[in-house]
Amino acid sequence: MDFKIAVLAGDGIGPEISAVGVEVMTAVCEKFGHKVSYEYAICGADAIDKVGDPFPEETYRTCKNADAVLFSAVGDPKFDNDPTAKVRPEQGLLAMRKKLGLFANIRPVQTFKCLLHKSPLRAELVEGADFICIRELTGGMYFGEKYQDNDKAYDTNMYTRPEIERILKVGFEYAMKRNRHLTVVDKANVLASSRLWRQIAQEMAPQYPEVTTDYMFVDNAAMKMIQEPKFFDVMVTENTFGDILTDEGSVISGSMGLLPSASTGESTPVFEPIHGSWPQAKGLNIANPLAQVLSVAMLFEYFDLKEEGALIRKVVDASLDAHVRTPEIQVEGGAKYGTREVGAWIVEAIKR
């Protein structure tokens, strides 16, 4: 297969982990006889500094013309600490999702047996936890009508039937491929938008009689993820709730540096780690590249290249078992490995 990949490294640790992701993808393509080419584009704070736009039109065209986007991270403290800033790096991320029609964010949450001790939860709670959070990505408050003055502000949480139906369809289909259990998360006891979500989910559920469908208020879901994470198989929810719950779910594994994600929809899919740009670690060669590496596995799996994805996952597991780890997950007294060294070990293991 021929791949044309748009690479958006972004800000902070983005360029460091992006380089590892590209090296891993290149190694896998060489091993399996695929051809791959890369086109690099700017986004986030880097793009604001260079052209004044966090997602320039040229970057959009690069993404639109690619088979897939390998994305890393955006964000910079100089914008976080300025509430008056009119242009922000994160606006580039929202623009990319909207322009490419990426309405479904897929975030797997899984644990690694050798890292159970790193989880803030007890090992018996998290061992074997393996579920997927599906977050609606282009609607709700993040994209609704907004207003702010010195005394009043509001964000409009609006959803339409077609927006809800298409993301619920993704949720039901993922549940059919897994353990046939779907949890629809909302706040239907308070919010009108959530009541429409629940109404439509109840209408669609009979179309998937093999799926056990349950409904959970978002506050209860947040508690359940901590008390009994193994309860969940596939979770689907709206944009704002999904943003919060997926970050909560990410710490179950013990490190945000371990989990990848995919954003899919009408156009070019985007594969990225779930973590941010961690600007404090920029250039220090300490960032964990495994989430970026696993996002490459998700990329191959999206194109139904399961053997390629499985190889990456096998090598990542092997690196963890061999204690080839960046500092935040290294065992006490373990050898020192940086971003580049972990990446190089994985690439060599793929080539063997």
Side-chain angles (χ1 to χ4, degrees):
M1 183 172 178
D2 292 354
F3 286 104
K4 185 177 181 181
I5 305 297
V7 180
L8 277 60
D11 308 320
I13 61 171
E16 298 167 67
I17 61 170
S18 177
V20 173
V22 168
E23 290 167 359
V24 168
M25 180 150 193
T26 300
V28 173
C29 285
E30 289 176 352
K31 188 178 188 73
F32 287 88
H34 305 302
K35 293 182 179 179
V36 60
S37 62
Y38 304 99
E39 188 166 353
Y40 292 79
I42 58 174
C43 64
D46 179 47
I48 295 173
D49 290 342
K50 289 175 178 174
V51 299
D53 185 341
F55 190 65
E57 187 65 23
E58 185 176 345
T59 297
Y60 166 65
R61 287 195 297 269
T62 298
C63 294
K64 183 73 174 175
N65 294 330
D67 296 310
V69 177
L70 190 60
F71 178 81
S72 296
V74 294
D76 190 286
K78 67 183 177 184
F79 296 97
D80 297 339
N81 297 327
D82 181 6
T84 65
K86 300 298 182 185
V87 181
R88 297 177 176 277
E90 293 76 12
Q91 291 170 347
L93 191 55
L94 297 180
M96 177 171 65
R97 294 168 180 169
K98 198 70 172 180
K99 288 186 174 183
L100 294 176
L102 303 175
F103 63 84
N105 181 237
I106 316 299
R107 288 193 179 186
V109 176
Q110 66 178 105
T111 55
F112 299 84
K113 194 161 187 177
C114 64
L115 291 173
L116 291 178
H117 65 288
K118 287 290 186 179
S119 175
L121 302 182
R122 298 195 310 271
E124 62 266 28
L125 289 179
V126 298
E127 185 173 7
D130 179 3
F131 61 95
I132 290 180
C133 297
I134 298 177
R135 167 190 171 193
E136 199 289 322
L137 209 54
T138 57
M141 283 194 290
Y142 289 9
F143 293 93
E145 182 183 348
K146 301 177 184 298
Y147 176 81
Q148 179 181 356
D149 61 28
N150 288 330
D151 301 305
K152 180 177 67 176
Y154 62 77
D155 301 275
T156 307
N157 194 41
M158 188 183 80
Y159 272 103
T160 64
R161 175 174 284 271
E163 288 176 317
I164 298 170
E165 286 178 339
R166 67 184 182 181
I167 192 66
L168 286 173
K169 184 173 185 288
V170 174
F172 279 112
E173 289 178 349
Y174 264 88
M176 286 293 292
K177 296 174 186 175
R178 289 173 52 91
N179 298 317
R180 300 184 180 184
H181 175 203
L182 179 68
T183 303
V184 181
V185 177
D186 59 34
K187 192 63 176 169
N189 58 335
V190 176
L191 300 178
S193 57
S194 281
R195 286 192 284 275
L196 182 60
W197 269 75
R198 186 168 293 207
Q199 174 189 329
I200 294 172
Q202 290 173 342
E203 293 170 2
M204 293 178 65
Q207 301 171 29
Y208 302 88
E210 295 173 305
V211 175
T212 299
T213 305
D214 49 42
Y215 305 88
M216 197 174 290
F217 296 147
V218 62
D219 41 359
N220 187 24
M223 291 188 290
K224 192 76 168 177
M225 284 175 65
I226 299 303
Q227 294 172 329
E228 192 183 351
K230 286 181 278 192
F231 169 84
F232 296 102
D233 178 34
V234 179
M235 172 194 299
V236 62
T237 191
E238 58 106 88
N239 203 343
T240 305
F241 297 160
D243 191 1
I244 297 166
L245 288 175
T246 52
D247 278 2
E248 180 188 6
S250 72
V251 302
I252 290 172
S253 69
S255 171
M256 289 187 73
L258 293 169
L259 299 181
S261 73
S263 298
T264 65
E266 301 167 2
S267 186
T268 313
V270 174
F271 302 89
E272 60 183 295
I274 68 162
H275 58 69
S277 61
W278 196 16
Q280 298 84 355
K282 179 180 179 180
L284 299 182
N285 192 39
I286 61 173
N288 189 344
L290 294 186
Q292 183 83 83
V293 171
L294 289 169
S295 71
V296 178
M298 290 188 76
L299 188 159
F300 282 115
E301 291 159 354
Y302 175 86
F303 290 101
D304 205 31
L305 298 172
K306 296 177 182 177
E307 190 176 353
E308 288 85 337
L311 174 61
I312 293 174
R313 295 183 186 280
K314 178 182 177 182
V315 170
V316 166
D317 287 343
S319 73
L320 292 171
D321 289 340
H323 297 158
V324 180
R325 311 176 187 180
T326 45
E328 92 285 3
I329 56 171
Q330 184 57 289
V331 296
E332 186 175 352
K336 293 183 178 179
Y337 290 93
T339 311
R340 292 188 297 273
E341 290 75 24
V342 170
W345 192 97
I346 289 172
V347 167
E348 287 305 310
I350 288 170
K351 291 179 177 179
R352 287 197 290 269

